[in-house]
Amino acid sequence: MAAFSLGLNSFVVPMSMHAENRSRLTSSLSTQNAIILFEGGSAKERNDTDHELLFRQESYFQYLFGVKEPGFWGAIHVQSNKSVLFCPRLPAEYQVWMGNITTPAQFKEMYEVDEVLYVDEMESWLAEQEASTLLLLEGKNSDSGSMFVPPKLPNPPANLTVDTSILFPILANQRVYKTDAELALMKHVSKVTSLSHVATMRTIKPGMMEYQAEATFHHYAYFNYGCRNFAYTAICACGPDPAVLHYGHAGAPNDRKINDGDMALMDMGAEYHCYASDITCSWPVNGRFTDSQKIIYGGVLEAQRKVYEILKPGTSWVDCHRAAEKAILAAMVSLGVLRMIEGVTLDEMVEMRLGGVFMPHGLGHFIGLDTHDVGGYLPKFPERPKGPGLKSLRTARTLDKGMCLTVEPGCYFIDYTIDNALADPSLARFIVPSEIDKYRGTGGVRLEDVLAITGDGFVNYTVAPRGIDEVEMVMGKGGKWPPVEDKYPELRREDLLTM
């Protein structure tokens, strides 16, 4: 059985996972007399130089074929489910610089497809097919707002009518629902990410730099589990920096010195075989929560717990977001930065969008081949809600079995949102200015887990410490983590070969 693995402790991914994805796609298409054609990713150079960037396969192509090399095309005959890869025809001198040239026969065995030809044979192959339609992928990614543009064929086959309307909504929605093989991989990469967070917690201390946390996380995940790529740019924010939600970018490259008394917000995710994890841990860098840090952290943790109480098939993701906001507002009342007004309940404060002051982002997102995975706002599904916080939700769908999502409530003290709230009389009446001013510049807290919806609830793939006592134990470097040995057994090569 063909599989992808980097050896040692790296996970084994059977190529049958991609074959199953192809079968799911062809079985869902009513247009049977058709060929589906995909273009894989290309190798890129940095700007105008010959410096080749580290290649990462295009996500839709990876989903269907699992090919790690650039320059490929892939086709699927809908009616027969026959799969064909087209590999680049490389010059003989390629061997001098890049190593042995893999043959089409070897690629066929590696990726368990029906046939492998060269890219320069693709046009003639298409012309020979007994089909009427050529399906190409085109559509808008609702997270980025960018269009997925279909490939331009130099000589479109005269025997096939090109259609770009059918494929995108079907395939994007299919990616929302993970197969058992995909879930096993998601579980593994989230375990790796969790343990890499723990290694970071046990390494970082006051006086170090934020980028050393990023380096520790990357080293642990790559050295121990073969995760060469990472799901996104690491957010390693300490002190005031957690109030910058996408900290870590080129203008703020995790470059602040970590001080005693800081809260750290570490949002980092490993990637393996192009499947992502996205986990956030928050913790005091000196290993001990202050009383106020306990209230803020405890409020975010309670927000997660309130979401988990209702998380199951049939639940609206928008309702989950509101449940998280309510818990955070309750914590802000306990902290003293908000006041209750007679006759106004916490639920009414949520509806007034007061929660958006402290959690201006959405509760979470689909996750899979991309950190912010596709399928959030497809046609025939709920549209994006309005209002602070809610408008940042990456989906408003009803939860269903097989979905993978993150749950990431947060509480931040951001000058911009606080000042806007104080300028709005309907919100300002709840805020205690003298108290909230004490927390300006203190950053914030976020906790983010990766989980999958099951038939009657959910399973959490995150094994990072969450309780205050657990965090302080791990920070104190005492005790074993996780306390229960390997609740997440991996499928290793020796197991795969006996299947």
Side-chain angles (χ1 to χ4, degrees), residues 55-175:
F55 176 71
R56 194 270 193 191
Q57 186 59 266
E58 191 281 315
S59 293
Y60 282 105
F61 197 83
Q62 178 73 8
Y63 177 74
L64 293 169
F65 296 102
V67 173
K68 66 179 184 291
E69 296 87 357
F72 274 67
W73 291 66
I76 309 170
H77 199 296
V78 176
Q79 191 166 18
S80 66
N81 197 40
K82 178 182 178 181
S83 55
V84 182
L85 284 173
F86 302 93
C87 66
R89 193 188 296 270
L90 301 171
E93 57 266 28
Y94 175 96
Q95 299 172 83
V96 176
W97 307 102
M98 306 295 281
N100 293 333
I101 297 174
T102 306
T103 67
Q106 289 170 323
F107 279 130
K108 182 177 182 293
E109 184 178 354
M110 284 171 57
Y111 295 121
E112 284 192 347
V113 292
D114 296 301
E115 188 176 8
V116 178
L117 301 170
Y118 288 111
V119 172
D120 56 32
E121 298 175 299
M122 185 172 67
E123 288 183 7
S124 61
W125 182 87
L126 287 170
E128 295 168 359
Q129 301 310 301
E130 295 182 0
S132 60
T133 308
L134 184 66
L135 300 179
L136 302 179
L137 195 67
E138 182 176 32
K140 180 183 283 189
N141 184 311
S142 62
D143 276 295
S144 66
S146 299
M147 289 293 295
F148 188 101
V149 180
K152 293 182 179 179
L153 302 175
N155 298 299
N159 59 316
L160 298 173
T161 300
V162 175
D163 187 297
T164 59
S165 65
I166 294 174
L167 197 56
F168 185 86
I170 292 173
L171 186 54
N173 191 54
Q174 181 178 309
R175 278 179 54 183

Side-chain angles (χ1 to χ4, degrees), residues 183-494:
L183 291 174
L185 178 52
M186 294 291 295
K187 182 188 220 181
H188 169 77
V189 76
S190 290
K191 177 188 174 184
V192 171
T193 297
S194 298
L195 297 182
S196 299
H197 270 284
V198 170
T200 305
M201 295 170 71
R202 286 181 158 164
T203 301
I204 300 305
K205 59 185 178 181
M208 299 178 74
M209 302 295 290
E210 290 169 334
Y211 61 74
Q212 290 179 290
E214 180 178 8
T216 301
F217 180 92
H218 284 191
H219 172 75
Y220 189 91
Y222 191 10
F223 185 88
N224 291 290
Y225 294 98
C227 295
R228 190 178 194 187
N229 287 317
F230 291 85
Y232 51 92
T233 301
I235 298 171
C236 300
C238 297
D241 296 335
V244 181
L245 297 187
H246 283 175
Y247 185 77
H249 59 82
N254 297 326
D255 60 350
R256 181 180 175 276
K257 185 178 180 180
I258 300 169
N259 296 318
D260 190 19
D262 284 352
M263 278 292 291
L265 185 157
M266 300 289 167
D267 187 339
M268 301 181 284
E271 179 181 289
Y272 187 78
H273 197 58
C274 296
Y275 279 74
S277 185
D278 181 3
I279 290 172
T280 304
C281 297
S282 296
W283 34 271
V285 297
N286 63 13
R288 291 289 173 184
F289 289 91
T290 65
D291 289 342
S292 61
Q293 287 171 346
K294 286 181 179 179
I295 293 174
I296 299 165
Y297 182 95
V300 176
L301 184 60
E302 181 65 12
Q304 268 196 334
R305 290 171 175 161
K306 289 299 183 183
V307 172
Y308 293 158
E309 288 178 5
I310 61 174
L311 205 64
K312 61 182 179 180
T315 301
S316 163
W317 189 237
V318 178
D319 289 344
C320 292
H321 180 94
R322 289 193 176 101
E325 283 186 330
K326 182 178 178 180
I328 289 167
L329 290 178
M332 293 302 94
V333 171
S334 177
L335 190 64
V337 303
L338 293 181
R339 62 168 67 92
M340 297 297 296
I341 293 177
E342 186 176 355
V344 181
T345 66
L346 281 173
D347 287 313
E348 290 170 327
M349 292 163 70
V350 168
E351 292 307 311
M352 294 173 189
R353 306 310 315 131
L354 188 59
V357 177
F358 300 96
M359 191 174 83
H361 61 73
L363 176 64
H365 48 82
F366 290 134
I367 185 168
L369 277 154
D370 293 298
T371 306
H372 298 153
D373 214 15
V374 295
Y377 292 104
L378 292 171
K380 301 181 181 179
F381 289 103
E383 296 181 355
R384 187 183 297 274
K386 294 179 173 60
L390 289 176
K391 68 181 181 181
S392 296
L393 278 169
R394 295 183 183 272
T395 189
R397 291 175 65 158
T398 298
L399 299 178
D400 202 359
K401 181 181 178 181
M403 291 179 171
C404 267
L405 306 101
T406 66
V407 174
E408 50 176 307
C411 180
Y412 318 88
F413 299 95
I414 303 170
D415 287 340
Y416 175 79
T417 60
I418 293 171
D419 291 340
N420 282 348
L422 288 171
D424 182 346
S426 67
L427 300 182
R429 58 193 176 127
F430 296 100
I431 300 172
V432 183
S434 61
E435 291 300 312
I436 203 166
D437 283 348
K438 296 177 183 178
Y439 296 94
R440 292 179 185 262
T442 62
V445 167
R446 180 164 66 252
L447 296 174
E448 182 176 15
D449 291 354
V450 175
L451 51 87
I453 305 300
T454 63
D456 57 358
F458 70 97
V459 58
N460 194 336
Y461 292 154
T462 307
V463 289
R466 286 296 182 240
I468 288 175
D469 291 343
E470 291 178 339
V471 171
E472 291 186 340
M473 181 273 288
V474 168
M475 292 294 296
K477 302 176 180 59
K480 178 182 178 182
W481 192 267
V484 178
E485 180 64 29
D486 202 7
K487 295 186 291 183
Y488 298 81
E490 288 111 348
L491 180 66
R492 300 188 184 275
R493 183 176 298 276
E494 55 269 28

